Amino acid sequence: MSEIPGDLKFLKSHEWARVEDNGHITVGISDHAQAALGDLVYVELPGVGDNVQAGNGAAVVESVKAASDVYSPVSGTIVAVNDKLADAPETINGDAYGDGWLFVVKPSDSSEMDALLTPDDYAEMIENEEH
Amino acid sequence: MLNQTILNATHRALGARMVDFGGWDMPINYGSQIDEHHAVRRDAGMFDVSHMTIVDVRGPRVREFLRHLLANNVDKLKVSGKALYSCMLNEQGGVIDDLIVYFIDESFFRVVVNASTRDKDLDWMARQGSRFGVTLTERRDYAMVAVQGPKARERVHGLLSAEGATRAAKLGKFVAADVDGLFVARTGYTGEDGYEIMVPEAEAVSFWSKLVAAGVKPCGLGARDTLRLEAGMNLYGQDMDETVSPWEAALAWTIALEPAERDFIGRAALVAQKSDGAAREMIGLVLDDKGVLRHGQRVITDKGDGEILSGSFSPTLGKSIAFARVPAGAADGALAVDIRGKALPVRAVKFPFVRDGQPCAGI
């Protein structure tokens, strides 16, 4: 299990979110989530310009084993998606917190980020899940 | 409390991700399931299949019993060690289980059935067997390791005595023999050459470790599933069950209606269904678009809806494949699969999808 970067926040459903310098929110799935899903083979991303709601499905990641919805941590508009994943979904397995990012949201209400888990809280949650 | 095989601690020490598989705590993968899949297609991999149920069937009338019990005909088994794949049916022609039966001698056959169906299989066999006076002995004293892939047999031979290696090398496909105290069968569930080996439990950990040292890659049940699907092999409970006949599960090749006087369980139902024509059939599908076909998805056809049975991403082909049960004749028309509300076009194809490491024609 790789180290969780300190500038991330998490949903209980294993998405991570990072506030960029311009206030946009980059979203991906956690290293724990990619390990549980196993080899990823397909990613369905939203379109740039799509509106998303906090807690609603915005993307789908599919591994050999299972399909899993990816929820947006905040409401807003999609301003970028990681097109490279179309041909290389396994990037998420190798670098979930870096090159494996999924999409970027321009938030309509950035205070929604306050409801997310800190890295320590998330680490504790998955620790408890495993016991 | 889940059942554990004798190799449980060995899997954990290798870093396996464990899952509940029909009441057994089994490895789903050790690292990348796709790497494990490719190891079997290109070199050699192995699976702990000790959860499967080995039953020794003995008695002077054992052949007569199995002739009655099974939809395939054990009279095809004439040479000691020869194996046969068959369904065991109920009176309605539904599949109670699929199994492999090995002929040892005229008073001894060995049967391997699934793990998840153990209890009902043993009950059914005991009930049907009582009037033939056979005894059933479950062999929990054996572990079982499937070593599969183009290099699998030579890796195993390297661990046998010189005499044992010579004997194993001479085994034909679907034949087994006692070799160095192991029951070595040239069978498998991957579409590759290899062995399924029954090994006394006390020796199983050491045997597994020697195979690792010989370069055989430990593989989990995840890779086993994608390998068998590519190889066009059914999975009990997913592709057929007691509500489905072999005609509807692409298992016609396992039904022996000749000789007509062999009165096996389910025969009358199968004969009736054959003359009426089965209402449904099992077909192979390929999705050329991006996405993954999965169990339970709806198949849209000109003749009404069908459903995906086994479906997965195929690591060898780099796209998704599946078995589907559809109304008879539907494969001649346009087909689509409903994935999250979108109807994606799919192609009906003959299976196996992959054989001996290579994609089959038309896939």
Side-chain angles (χ1 to χ4, degrees):
Chain A
M1 182 72 55
S2 68
E3 188 100 341
I4 300 177
D7 59 342
L8 302 185
K9 296 188 91 176
F10 291 86
L11 286 179
K12 283 181 182 166
S13 47
H14 306 289
E15 294 81 359
W16 59 260
R18 184 175 55 227
V19 183
E20 307 296 349
D21 293 342
N22 60 4
H24 294 175
I25 313 284
T26 304
V27 180
I29 65 167
S30 75
D31 194 59
H32 174 79
Q34 70 74 19
L37 283 165
D39 294 307
L40 289 165
V41 294
Y42 174 58
V43 179
E44 191 176 296
L45 293 168
V48 170
D50 286 0
N51 285 313
V52 293
Q53 295 297 316
N56 282 4
V60 178
V61 290
E62 296 213 38
S63 69
V64 183
K65 277 181 244 168
S68 182
D69 286 320
V70 178
Y71 300 106
S72 181
V74 292
S75 304
T77 308
I78 301 289
V79 292
V81 297
N82 189 355
D83 287 326
K84 287 182 183 158
L85 296 176
D87 292 323
E90 67 277 8
T91 307
I92 298 170
N93 292 115
D95 190 9
Y97 296 132
D99 292 343
W101 65 277
L102 293 170
F103 56 86
V104 179
V105 187
K106 181 182 179 189
S108 52
D109 175 7
S110 53
S111 73
E112 285 174 339
M113 283 294 287
D114 299 342
L116 273 58
L117 301 172
T118 66
D120 285 350
D121 291 344
Y122 179 70
E124 193 185 326
M125 186 193 92
I126 58 181
E127 179 78 8
N128 291 335
E129 246 180 24
E130 282 167 4
H131 290 279
Chain B
M1 187 64 191
L2 294 177
N3 292 309
Q4 297 189 349
T5 76
I6 196 78
L7 291 163
N8 191 277
T10 307
H11 300 318
R12 289 174 178 280
L14 287 164
R17 179 169 285 269
M18 307 295 285
V19 293
D20 176 354
F21 185 83
W24 289 81
D25 187 44
M26 300 298 287
I28 182 93
N29 57 271
Y30 298 81
S32 160
Q33 138 171 24
I34 291 177
D35 289 351
E36 292 167 16
H37 180 108
H38 290 321
V40 171
R41 286 276 177 260
R42 297 167 185 168
D43 188 58
M46 64 179 161
F47 309 85
D48 178 12
V49 289
S50 309
H51 59 306
M52 296 194 74
T53 309
I54 307 166
V55 188
D56 286 353
V57 190
R58 292 178 188 266
R61 296 172 65 195
V62 59
R63 187 184 284 272
E64 190 187 344
F65 165 58
L66 293 170
R67 217 184 269 140
H68 174 65
L69 183 75
L70 302 179
N72 209 338
N73 189 356
V74 289
D75 284 345
K76 293 173 184 170
L77 302 177
K78 296 186 171 73
V79 179
S80 179
K82 185 72 181 162
L84 182 73
Y85 174 79
S86 182
C87 290
M88 179 163 75
L89 305 178
N90 58 25
E91 292 290 356
Q92 295 73 43
V95 183
I96 295 173
D97 202 5
D98 64 338
L99 53 82
I100 288 182
V101 54
Y102 298 92
F103 167 53
I104 312 297
D105 63 44
E106 285 304 331
S107 63
F108 176 19
F109 286 66
R110 174 167 286 169
V111 176
V112 180
V113 301
N114 284 299
S116 56
T117 51
R118 174 199 174 272
D119 294 355
K120 69 164 186 174
D121 289 357
L122 290 177
D123 284 352
W124 180 259
M125 290 169 74
R127 210 160 90 210
Q128 301 299 332
S130 60
R131 72 184 167 93
F132 296 91
V134 297
T135 60
L136 305 174
T137 311
E138 190 179 0
R139 296 300 302 268
R140 279 286 152 218
D141 53 318
Y142 271 132
M144 185 150 48
V145 179
V147 190
Q148 303 275 296
K151 303 279 187 192
R153 295 180 69 219
E154 67 180 66
R155 300 273 162 79
V156 171
H157 297 163
L159 305 183
L160 300 173
S161 68
E163 193 227 329
T166 306
R167 290 190 53 215
K170 285 184 183 157
L171 283 177
K173 288 201 171 177
F174 244 64
V175 180
D178 272 305
V179 177
D180 295 351
L182 310 168
F183 186 82
V184 178
R186 196 172 165 194
T187 52
Y189 195 46
T190 62
E192 298 298 324
D193 205 349
Y195 294 124
E196 292 176 301
I197 301 173
M198 298 177 199
V199 47
E201 264 200 341
E203 298 162 33
V205 171
S206 141
F207 185 65
W208 179 275
S209 303
K210 284 182 202 157
L211 286 165
V212 172
V216 179
K217 188 177 179 68
C219 300
L221 296 180
R224 187 169 161 82
D225 193 53
T226 50
L227 287 158
R228 68 92 195 163
L229 177 59
E230 286 186 348
M233 295 171 174
N234 294 44
L235 172 64
Y236 189 79
Q238 194 148 292
D239 300 315
M240 73 289 200
D241 58 29
E242 293 187 22
T243 68
V244 172
S245 83
W247 301 128
E248 301 172 311
L251 292 172
W253 64 278
T254 71
I255 303 172
L257 290 180
E258 298 295 327
E261 59 273 19
R262 186 175 71 96
D263 179 27
F264 64 88
I265 301 165
R267 179 186 183 103
L270 291 190
V271 168
Q273 207 179 79
K274 190 179 186 190
S275 67
D276 296 348
R280 305 173 293 175
E281 62 180 331
M282 186 174 114
I283 60 172
L285 296 178
V286 172
L287 174 67
D288 293 309
D289 268 332
K290 293 198 166 185
V292 184
L293 303 171
R294 297 196 190 273
H295 182 66
Q297 286 168 349
R298 186 167 65 102
V299 182
I300 303 154
T301 86
D302 298 342
K303 296 187 186 297
D305 284 352
E307 69 168 335
I308 299 290
L309 306 168
S310 293
S312 185
F313 176 78
S314 159
T316 304
L317 303 169
K319 54 191 173 186
S320 184
I321 57 174
F323 295 142
R325 189 163 293 115
V326 295
D332 299 332
L335 298 167
V337 175
D338 180 345
I339 300 182
R340 294 186 288 278
K342 271 187 255 174
L344 299 182
V346 289
R347 282 188 292 126
V349 296
K350 290 207 168 109
F351 52 87
F353 303 92
V354 175
R355 190 40 60 98
D356 293 324
Q358 298 304 315
C360 294
I363 308 291

